[in-house]
Amino acid sequence: MGKRVALVLAGCGVFDGSEIHEASAALVHLSRGGAEVKIFAPNIEQRDVVDHLKGSPTEEKRNVLVESARLARGNIQDLAELKTSEFDAVIFPDGAAFPMTSIEGGFGVAKNLCSWAVDGKNCTVNEHVNSTLQAFHSAKKPIGLCCISPVLAAKVFPGCEVTVGQDKDVDGRFPDAETASAIVELGCKHICKNVNESHVDKANKIVTTCAFMCKAPLHEIFDGIGTMVQEVLKLA
């Protein structure tokens, strides 16, 4: 039997929800690894709704769980119903910082799973996201995060090790490198990694990769997420 993995989404669409390529990449690599996956999202209103053609906010209201159901092909549950005992690992596949000098990764984690988009390192984490992270950590079960999602671990687990890529804007590929500094200010250790790599914090069983925090070709982001998924499955 394959490893049982919970995948947590944050909506659907790069500007106000889950980054679709990152979520799909995680699902493909989990499938290839023989994992049994169930998808979850918090049943909350999105912070905002963005017209993805114009890139501007609208007056519309949308629900994170309902929007995430698009990516899950309708097979999704409220995050409040997740039972840690039924899974071997949890993965948060997506989301990017805001405001950003680039708009590569999805804003869902930074807007909907926590308030990083508005408050940065002083953000608050959604109660169900927080309790999910705490429960898996306490059970010594691995946690996988990519793009801006590692800030969730940095906020919830002071002293942990994560990566969001590089701490300097190397060749213009890491325009949001200051996120690494914010992670350090939270009392955590930032490990510099390339887009096709991941970092394993063995003590905390936290695996991270930068994904769209790097301006890179899609296949390199796909490969980096693959290393994260593989390491999570090894630890599970």
Side-chain angles (χ1 to χ4, degrees):
M1 180 178 173
K3 301 296 183 180
R4 303 164 300 168
V5 180
L7 189 84
V8 181
L9 297 179
C12 180
V14 59
F15 299 140
D16 57 18
S18 292
E19 209 295 319
I20 295 171
H21 297 299
E22 291 178 7
S24 297
L27 287 165
V28 168
H29 287 295
L30 285 166
S31 176
R32 183 169 288 151
E36 178 185 334
V37 181
K38 289 189 178 180
I39 304 175
F40 297 84
N43 186 11
I44 56 174
E45 188 175 293
Q46 290 184 187
R47 178 174 292 274
D48 62 10
V49 177
V50 177
D51 182 325
H52 280 56
L53 180 60
K54 298 178 180 178
S56 57
T58 72
E59 297 300 317
E60 197 175 344
K61 302 294 183 184
R62 295 192 185 186
N63 178 280
V64 173
L65 178 59
V66 172
E67 291 302 295
S68 297
R70 295 174 181 271
L71 284 170
R73 298 173 62 88
N75 188 8
I76 193 169
Q77 294 174 259
D78 186 342
L79 182 59
E81 299 173 2
L82 191 158
K83 295 182 175 63
T84 307
S85 60
E86 297 178 355
F87 296 93
D88 301 304
V90 65
I91 289 178
F92 292 77
D94 63 305
F98 183 85
M100 299 181 68
T101 51
S102 65
I103 44 176
E104 298 291 341
F107 293 167
V109 166
K111 287 183 173 182
N112 301 327
L113 302 193
C114 70
S115 64
W116 189 276
V118 175
D119 302 319
K121 66 181 182 182
N122 298 315
C123 72
T124 57
V125 178
N126 171 272
E127 62 175 318
H128 296 302
V129 172
N130 194 328
S131 62
T132 296
L133 290 167
Q134 294 280 12
F136 275 85
H137 187 260
S138 295
K140 301 188 184 306
K141 294 181 177 182
I143 299 167
L145 308 112
C146 73
C147 203
I148 195 64
S149 297
V151 302
L152 295 174
K155 190 68 182 179
V156 176
F157 308 118
C160 70
E161 298 177 356
V162 298
T163 188
V164 288
Q166 300 292 322
D167 57 10
K168 294 181 178 61
D169 187 10
V170 181
D171 299 324
R173 284 164 51 90
F174 296 90
D176 301 286
E178 69 274 6
T179 304
S181 298
I183 286 168
V184 173
E185 289 173 15
L186 285 170
C188 298
K189 185 174 183 180
H190 180 265
I191 309 298
C192 291
K193 291 286 183 176
N194 291 321
V195 66
N196 60 346
E197 300 175 314
S198 58
H199 176 70
V200 182
D201 178 346
K202 294 181 180 178
N204 290 294
K205 290 194 172 181
I206 296 171
V207 188
T208 51
T209 189
C210 68
F212 273 111
M213 292 294 279
C214 176
K215 298 178 76 171
L218 182 58
H219 71 276
E220 293 184 10
I221 291 161
F222 183 89
D223 292 345
I225 292 172
T227 67
M228 181 267 288
V229 169
Q230 290 165 16
E231 294 295 340
V232 166
L233 294 179
K234 286 179 187 177
L235 291 171

